[in-house]
Amino acid sequence: MAALGARAAGLASLVLFAAAGCPKGSAEGPDGCEVCKLGEFSAAGGEACEQCPPGKFSGVQGASACTSCPPGTYSDQEGSIVVDQCKNCSAGRYSSTPGLADASGCQACPPGKWGSDPGATSEEAACGGCAPGKWVSAAGFCMECPAGRWSDQVNARSDLNCVACEAGRYSNTTGASAAAACLECPPSEWAHNRTGAASPSACTGCSPGKWTNHSDGGCADCSPGRWSDQVNARSELNCVACDAGRYSNTSGASSESACLKCPSAAENHMAGIASEAACFSTATASTTASAAWQAPWAPAPSGRRGAARSKSPCGCSTSTSLVRRASR
């Protein structure tokens, strides 16, 4: 009789187990109840565990429910196992609602406002404007100023608000918010009148016909009447004067061929003449006396017949003093 009673009790417990089913967080398997895997859940036990739906995740085994993605994020895939699989609402959008299943649940900032940080949970946090070093795109995103440029403005409306580093400086940093990000070019290099250099290699030397202007870091042209075929000339003294009797009206000349011969009647025999007109730029008395030099016995000024005329070693006429002497 006792054995029959024990057998009856065992059968009763099996009936009760079958009626109750598997516990929460598990499901029936080949060998009985099996716990749900990561990314799955079972609310009341059953024939199978379900994958977490979009907007939720489960990072534990045997979960009876999935955890919602936090505000400011969403997840558009099933079976997520970690919160990192929840994606941030993009910059310029926000959401205070947990468990979003797609990006459309992230609300856009109102017109006239922009955001610089993703994952915002409120309008106040999302729509405060682009930070310095950034500018707002037509799509409403905050974009970084490129290397070689900077901006200290909040909510800059265009990439034109990103200021180029001055000539002689460079910046290889994106999103720079101050001019201090622009560093001096290496001592052996200068910026060739180039602004917005994005790396030290962009600090190229001055080209022929120019010289390094250390006051602003740029390259200055050799002045008319001078030329230079040097690369990276360090001083204006590297600009060579055109030979005597030649002129150049070109700024930044890079070859001696820019120096043209003065006309044959020219009076100016100095070096470095800057224009054809300057070839004739001696004083009137010298010009008159020089004309007399071409005809030695021509009448002197004021009708006086002259003494001998000569030229000084520099080529300048000295006949004026001789005429004065002859008039005494």
Side-chain angles (χ1 to χ4, degrees), residues 130-134 150-157 160-163 177:
C130 294
K134 300 182 179 183
W150 60 275
S151 172
D152 58 3
Q153 296 185 36
V154 175
N155 228 10
R157 303 301 178 88
L160 297 178
N161 295 112
C162 297
V163 182
S177 58

Side-chain angles (χ1 to χ4, degrees), residues 160 181 192 314:
L160 297 178
H192 190 34
C314 70

Side-chain angles (χ1 to χ4, degrees), residues 310-319:
S310 65
K311 289 187 178 180
S312 69
C314 70
C316 301
S317 174
T318 58
S319 58

Side-chain angles (χ1 to χ4, degrees), residues 29-156:
D31 300 320
C33 292
E34 298 179 352
V35 296
C36 296
K37 300 175 182 178
L38 298 179
E40 298 179 343
F41 76 103
S42 175
E47 295 181 357
C49 295
E50 300 178 53
Q51 285 192 324
C52 292
K56 296 178 181 292
F57 68 95
S58 174
V60 295
Q61 292 182 327
S64 60
C66 298
T67 305
S68 295
C69 288
T73 68
Y74 68 94
S75 174
D76 53 6
Q77 63 185 25
E78 295 182 338
S80 296
I81 62 175
V82 290
V83 69
D84 289 346
Q85 289 178 276
C86 300
K87 305 170 185 177
N88 284 325
C89 291
S90 60
R93 293 180 174 271
Y94 65 95
S95 173
S96 59
T97 304
L100 291 182
D102 59 65
S104 64
C106 300
Q107 300 180 54
C109 290
K113 292 188 176 182
W114 299 272
S116 59
D117 299 314
T121 60
S122 67
E123 180 181 332
E124 291 75 16
C127 309
C130 294
K134 300 182 179 183
W135 57 278
V136 62
S137 69
F141 299 112
C142 290
M143 311 296 291
E144 290 186 331
C145 290
R149 294 178 175 271
W150 60 275
S151 172
D152 58 3
Q153 296 185 36
V154 175
N155 228 10

